[in-house]
Amino acid sequence: MHTLPSPAPEPPLPILFQDDSLVAIHKPSGLLVHRTVLDRHETRFAVQLLRDQIGRHVFPVHRLDRGTSGVLLFALDKDTARLLTRQFEAQQVDKRYLAIVRGHPPEAGSIDHALSRERDDLEFQGEASSQAAQEARTDYRRLAVAEIPYAVDRYPSSRYALVELTPHTGRRHQIRRHLKHIAHPIIGDSTFGKGRHNRLFQALYGSQRMLLACTRMALTHPHTGAPLVLEAPVDGDFVRVMDGLGWGAQVATLQACR
């Protein structure tokens, strides 16, 4: 009688920081933070994997979309979760993202564009739930540009850029929606991006992900008051695309000057 092989064990999530009250990981692209009715068949979640990995309950205090990689912070108790959530709500947490976008945006700018509310799956949507657009602002800085000899739209070549983004509000899908608003959508974004550009990057670079990553988060430790800086450099498909566009060493120099 043949027995089925045991499933391969889950690889551990990369831990960026951990103490008695909080833990930060480098979330891979494609991993949900927690269970959602929109992906009811998914069985892998960061909350569950991290809980099993460290043997403690964890409380997410912010979100990253499934396709976004990078710094993801959890509290290890409810009191810490409450204190961290206050920092996020008061816009006291400095977050930096990298994205590869279509086109060549200006060297720097601020996207000040209100966004209609997008609710969580189980959020109350009754009469008391406002439908009004919410203030939202994202600053950006262009780090590198490239032009490749492939016709995607009506031009014989296609332009792309690497941008660093700093969201000052925390609206759902804010960065993705803001970049779409200025006509520079993120490559690999199946909801707010352009399918023809996404497919080109799959064919040229084997990229199967949305090219958006939270690379840095700076906050105040909720109990000690000490500054805490968490960093998660891009890897995998993201690095392969940057190398393919000729940005490798140039990007490290530009980021060091921020």
Side-chain angles (χ1 to χ4, degrees):
M1 183 176 178
H2 297 288
T3 58
L4 295 174
S6 301
E10 287 282 356
L13 294 168
I15 292 179
L16 304 173
F17 177 87
Q18 183 177 0
D19 65 9
D20 290 336
S21 56
L22 54 89
V23 58
I25 66 167
H26 186 169
K27 186 188 87 66
S29 174
L31 180 65
L32 287 167
V33 175
H34 49 65
R35 190 179 301 276
T36 166
V37 298
L38 298 179
D39 291 276
R40 62 180 74 249
H41 301 297
E42 184 56 72
T43 58
R44 298 175 68 254
F45 315 96
V47 169
Q48 171 196 14
L49 295 176
L50 184 59
R51 178 200 65 199
D52 294 345
Q53 181 174 326
I54 67 174
R56 296 185 62 175
H57 285 291
V58 296
F59 303 84
V61 294
H62 68 115
R63 71 171 127 239
L64 290 179
D65 294 337
R66 181 177 190 160
T68 306
S69 63
V71 180
L72 183 62
L73 182 63
F74 296 85
L76 294 177
D77 58 78
K78 291 182 179 179
D79 183 53
T80 302
R82 177 178 52 81
L83 295 172
L84 288 172
T85 298
R86 282 184 185 172
Q87 284 193 53
F88 280 94
E89 291 177 344
Q91 301 174 21
Q92 296 171 341
V93 179
D94 178 55
K95 295 169 284 183
R96 305 291 177 89
Y97 289 76
L98 285 182
I100 296 177
V101 303
R102 186 190 73 171
H104 289 178
E107 290 187 3
S110 183
I111 308 168
D112 192 349
H113 173 68
L115 296 170
S116 59
R117 188 168 184 177
E118 290 189 349
R119 294 176 176 78
D120 290 324
D121 304 329
L122 303 178
E123 187 176 346
F124 176 66
Q125 298 189 36
E127 293 180 1
S129 186
S130 172
Q131 300 288 340
Q134 299 172 298
E135 174 192 1
R137 181 166 70 89
T138 305
D139 292 340
Y140 67 88
R141 185 167 68 103
R142 195 182 73 198
L143 300 181
V145 296
E147 186 167 351
I148 59 177
Y150 293 89
V152 177
D153 293 318
R154 61 185 182 275
Y155 304 107
S157 60
S158 298
R159 292 181 170 189
Y160 302 99
L162 179 74
V163 293
E164 182 184 68
L165 302 121
T166 303
H168 294 283
T169 47
R171 310 309 177 200
R172 199 170 196 197
H173 301 151
Q174 175 173 317
I175 290 175
R176 297 164 63 187
R177 295 166 75 189
H178 269 175
L179 286 170
K180 178 186 177 182
H181 175 71
I182 64 170
H184 295 289
I186 298 170
I187 302 301
D189 188 338
S190 60
T191 301
F192 303 105
K194 294 288 186 180
R196 287 174 292 181
H197 292 273
N198 297 347
R199 290 189 290 273
L200 177 65
F201 274 63
Q202 291 171 7
L204 291 180
Y205 308 114
S207 179
Q208 303 295 325
R209 58 161 293 175
M210 180 169 65
L211 294 170
L212 175 65
C214 180
T215 57
R216 185 177 187 272
M217 181 180 296
L219 65 152
T220 301
H221 194 288
H223 298 302
T224 68
L228 180 62
V229 177
L230 307 166
E231 295 185 307
V234 293
D235 57 9
D237 284 7
F238 210 123
V239 170
R240 185 163 58 251
V241 172
M242 290 198 303
D243 288 342
L245 293 171
W247 294 337
Q250 179 185 6
V251 170
T253 302
L254 287 167
Q255 284 189 274
C257 297
R258 66 188 173 190

